[in-house]
Amino acid sequence: MSASQNGWSAGPGMILRPLVVGGIAFVPGIRHDDDVHTVLGYVADQFHTRVEPLRNPGCWGYAFRENRNDPNALSNHASGTAIDCNAPAHPNGVPTNRTFTPKQVAEVHKILAEVDHTVRWGGDYTGTPDAMHFEIDTTPARLAAVADRIRNQEDDMFTDEDRADLKATRKVTERTREGSFKRDKAILAGLDEIAETSTKTARKSQVAALKKLFEDES
Ligand SMILES: [Zn+2]
């Protein structure tokens, strides 16, 4: 198997994993790798919320092809470690500052700093700019560390408010359960009364069967 420009293994017909951000799919998917998915997913998600909403069509992932700006190397799309965001709005070769405002450029740089620059932006290329393009630019080991941190960060985003909500929901559930238990007991008590006032053996056995049914349920 050969490697793409960033050193990640590349080949035709790779096994892919879907990447969907803000309801927009990166077609046809990206590398089947948790860390690549976490980090590229983070960048795409932040791009979508902080820079520019993702649009369809125009978000691309895996493609087995050479690098458009260096025909001697395989594109990082060929290893499933690169994505294009809103391709028609930011064509390859068009200077970055023509399709992004300085504020947007600054925001992209902030996002890349948040992933410890394990992702490189085509908008920063010193040669031909490719502002739609983001690619993994590190080793699997270093990427794993950053991906771990992002996943933990996402756990931290489970706020105290969320925890309070969960606690309240649990309380309601418990109360409902207690309530239905009480109701069952009331029914049983009612049945006891029927059983005691009834003189007919048939009714007594019927009541006993009903009681057993309720007892089995609780
Ligand atoms: Zn690209």
Side-chain angles (χ1 to χ4, degrees), residues 65 77 83-84 130 132-133:
R65 60 173 167 78
H77 286 282
I83 52 172
D84 294 330
D130 188 8
M132 69 174 96
H133 180 95

Side-chain angles (χ1 to χ4, degrees), residues 1-191:
M1 211 179 204
S2 45
S4 64
Q5 178 276 332
N6 60 9
W8 288 66
S9 62
M14 283 183 79
I15 296 168
L16 302 179
R17 183 169 166 175
L19 175 64
V20 181
V21 174
I24 306 294
F26 283 82
V27 180
I30 61 167
R31 190 182 188 87
H32 193 85
D33 179 289
D34 279 351
D35 299 331
V36 171
H37 191 269
T38 296
V39 175
L40 284 183
Y42 178 83
V43 169
D45 188 52
Q46 300 303 309
F47 181 93
H48 174 69
T49 54
R50 291 157 60 183
V51 180
E52 175 182 280
L54 293 173
R55 289 188 293 265
N56 212 4
C59 294
W60 312 112
Y62 171 80
F64 188 69
R65 60 173 167 78
E66 61 200 20
N67 187 331
R68 287 209 174 106
N69 302 319
D70 177 8
N72 297 316
L74 270 180
S75 159
N76 291 326
H77 286 282
S79 59
T81 59
I83 52 172
D84 294 330
C85 297
N86 296 340
H90 310 289
N92 180 35
V94 173
T96 305
N97 62 14
R98 246 192 258 162
T99 64
F100 283 110
T101 66
K103 209 177 155 196
Q104 285 177 311
V105 170
E107 204 60 38
V108 170
H109 288 155
K110 261 192 216 165
I111 295 165
L112 299 185
E114 287 160 15
V115 296
D116 291 353
H117 301 281
T118 53
V119 172
R120 183 167 54 174
W121 183 29
D124 286 331
Y125 285 167
T126 48
T128 310
D130 188 8
M132 69 174 96
H133 180 95
F134 293 86
E135 63 193 11
I136 298 293
D137 184 35
T138 191
T139 60
R142 225 187 123 228
L143 188 71
V146 172
D148 267 347
R149 185 167 53 69
I150 291 170
R151 285 190 286 259
N152 288 336
Q153 221 167 281
E154 279 167 3
D155 283 348
D156 288 347
M157 282 159 71
F158 196 73
T159 61
D160 286 347
E161 207 179 320
D162 294 330
R163 284 190 189 93
D165 273 351
L166 202 66
K167 231 176 175 179
T169 308
R170 183 175 295 167
K171 255 192 188 147
V172 169
T173 310
E174 271 167 13
R175 221 176 292 144
T176 311
R177 204 194 293 152
E178 251 170 52
S180 72
F181 190 66
K182 272 183 193 153
R183 195 194 53 215
D184 290 349
K185 283 223 156 165
I187 292 169
L188 288 177
L191 290 174

